[in-house]
Amino acid sequence: MSEKILSVIIPSYNSKPYLDKCLASLIVPDRMDQMDIIVVNDGSTDGSEAICQDYINRYPDSVSLINKENGGHGSAINAGSEAARGKYMKVLDADDWFNTESIPEFLDIISGASADVVLTCHHTINISTGEIKNWRCFPDEPGREYTMEEVMGNWKNFDRSLTFHGITYRTEFYREHGVKLAENVFYEDHEYATYPCCVAHTILPLGLFIYEYRIGDVSQSVSAENQLKRIDHTKMVIVKMLKNRVDITDQWALEYCDKKIHLLLLSFMVTSMLCDPDRKKGVARVDQLMGYIAKKDRHVVEMTMSHYKILKLLNAAHVGLEGYNRMLNSKLYNKLRHNKSFD
């Protein structure tokens, strides 16, 4: 039996319309002996596990199914990471898919790699508009290992791949740091992209596009409506990330943690201050959380204060999310921020 190189963990909850496409994208007939595909059925009620069983019948040594009570996306990743047999592990949501053509090269590279974290590129595919964006990193020397100090010193060269969709963990590294993601909450993927990535000694950026991320569906957790409805979930994840930070002592690990908490806090602020019809309530919600964070990690508040002031002005001017996004997507804004193109 060949060594398993890559474990792909697929959290699945009522994913029947998407799961077949997701699983089919992972099938590379002459490389299945190196693949470990784990579908974690998180208490589905739509019979989607039958789709997985068909793949198990065809590839019994490569595809497996874990049935568990519903505990949320994080609990499914927790269960899958415990069962993973691959040298590296990557999470793939059941309504997304992989770029099948890139899998053989990816397997070849990681089979000889030793980095704690491997970064790959991904696409976002907006099913409403048809827009496709390229999310990639821009290392000065592609294919060599970087330290966290180097990454933090050149943040915008790496940040678009330091995400849930871009990160692949060395399985033993992930387990060594005892990661247990928040359960029964949404948006714990921010936690996954922070811990244990922050303590990685070696980070290997690649130019391969692996993950295809489906967006633009109003039913998704990332839609503005659902983010506002679940704003307390975002707050819970921020609070847990602050608690996880306490035991970290390395300077660059702390810098990375603070950057990721800052970015999630910005998302919380945008949702609360620009999406809530009750504008005063939105600001009060942000002020309460900022006060809490100031007692735990003053640096994050300092990083966020200029954004807070701008968003408070936009809130007072009754600018909504659409207007804010137009500003972010403007050529002038991106030029001033020295942001990379999505082309």
Side-chain angles (χ1 to χ4, degrees):
M1 186 183 298
S2 298
E3 177 190 7
K4 296 298 182 183
I5 303 300
L6 178 64
S7 290
V8 182
I9 300 165
I10 305 174
S12 177
Y13 175 71
N14 288 348
S15 303
K16 194 172 184 178
Y18 314 107
L19 188 56
D20 185 59
K21 179 175 182 176
C22 175
L23 287 168
S25 75
L26 299 173
I27 304 304
V28 183
D30 60 345
R31 304 300 290 269
M32 293 307 292
D33 59 336
Q34 297 178 325
M35 298 284 287
D36 173 38
I37 302 166
I38 306 166
V39 177
V40 184
N41 175 34
D42 189 40
S44 297
T45 58
D46 65 347
S48 50
E49 59 270 27
I51 295 171
C52 180
Q53 189 59 53
D54 179 53
Y55 283 86
I56 292 172
N57 293 340
R58 284 187 278 162
Y59 307 101
D61 184 51
S62 300
V63 183
S64 59
L65 174 66
I66 297 174
N67 288 306
K68 58 181 287 298
E69 292 183 2
N70 182 259
H73 190 259
S75 76
I77 296 174
N78 291 338
S81 63
E82 290 178 3
R85 296 179 290 159
K87 179 181 178 182
Y88 283 87
M89 54 170 270
K90 189 167 182 63
V91 182
L92 171 62
D93 283 343
D95 56 350
D96 299 328
W97 61 96
F98 273 9
N99 181 355
T100 311
E101 293 180 358
S102 295
I103 293 176
E105 185 177 356
F106 188 47
L107 290 170
D108 288 341
I109 293 171
I110 63 176
S111 66
S114 59
D116 296 329
V117 171
V118 177
L119 303 180
T120 53
C121 313
H122 68 279
H123 296 112
T124 51
I125 298 98
N126 191 310
I127 63 167
S128 297
T129 67
E131 181 184 30
I132 298 175
K133 281 189 175 182
N134 300 323
W135 294 73
R136 66 173 82 229
C137 48
F138 304 86
D140 294 329
E141 300 174 58
R144 87 158 170 90
E145 294 180 353
Y146 286 77
T147 64
M148 185 56 76
E149 179 179 358
E150 291 175 304
V151 167
M152 294 310 301
N154 297 277
W155 177 254
K156 288 193 176 181
N157 285 357
F158 298 92
D159 65 330
R160 289 181 183 170
S161 291
L162 284 163
T163 64
F164 173 80
H165 310 96
I167 287 174
T168 301
Y169 282 114
R170 184 168 58 81
T171 305
E172 284 307 309
F173 167 75
Y174 189 84
R175 287 179 178 150
E176 281 167 14
H177 293 276
V179 174
K180 290 294 179 186
L181 300 178
E183 303 194 359
N184 295 302
V185 299
F186 287 83
Y187 315 121
E188 89 303 322
D189 55 304
H190 295 274
E191 186 184 0
Y192 175 85
T194 304
Y195 311 101
C197 186
C198 61
V199 294
H201 291 292
T202 48
I203 300 166
L204 176 64
L206 303 177
L208 287 174
F209 280 87
I210 298 294
Y211 201 110
E212 306 291 282
Y213 176 26
R214 175 182 174 274
I215 63 172
D217 186 338
V218 294
S219 68
Q220 289 178 296
S221 61
V222 292
S223 71
E225 181 181 349
N226 280 327
Q227 286 194 63
L228 179 59
K229 185 169 68 175
R230 296 165 179 151
I231 192 76
D232 287 342
H233 289 231
T234 306
K235 178 181 175 180
M236 284 189 280
V237 172
I238 291 171
V239 169
K240 188 166 186 287
M241 289 172 71
L242 286 165
K243 290 179 180 177
N244 288 342
R245 182 189 182 279
V246 171
D247 296 326
I248 297 170
T249 56
D250 179 79
Q251 174 190 348
W252 300 108
L254 288 172
E255 288 283 346
Y256 181 81
C257 288
D258 283 352
K259 176 66 80 170
K260 299 298 277 188
I261 295 169
H262 158 73
L263 292 171
L264 184 54
L265 177 57
L266 283 184
S267 176
F268 176 90
M269 288 167 57
V270 168
T271 301
S272 188
M273 297 169 80
L274 303 187
C275 298
D276 195 329
D278 187 335
R279 295 267 160 166
K280 290 184 179 180
K281 181 180 178 182
V283 172
R285 187 189 293 117
V286 170
D287 288 345
Q288 189 275 333
L289 181 57
M290 290 278 276
Y292 173 83
I293 296 173
K295 298 174 184 177
K296 304 291 182 180
D297 186 359
R298 186 70 197 176
H299 183 219
V300 170
V301 173
E302 292 168 355
M303 292 169 69
T304 312
M305 189 53 66
S306 62
H307 299 83
Y308 167 78
K309 291 176 181 178
I310 292 169
L311 287 168
K312 193 169 184 180
L313 287 173
L314 295 175
N315 171 281
H318 288 267
V319 174
L321 183 62
E322 186 176 341
Y324 177 71
N325 285 334
R326 278 200 302 269
M327 182 183 76
L328 292 187
N329 292 326
S330 70
K331 290 183 179 179
L332 177 60
Y333 175 84
N334 283 286
K335 185 176 182 179
L336 291 172
R337 297 286 295 173
H338 304 289
N339 290 334
K340 307 286 187 180
S341 170
F342 282 97
D343 295 335

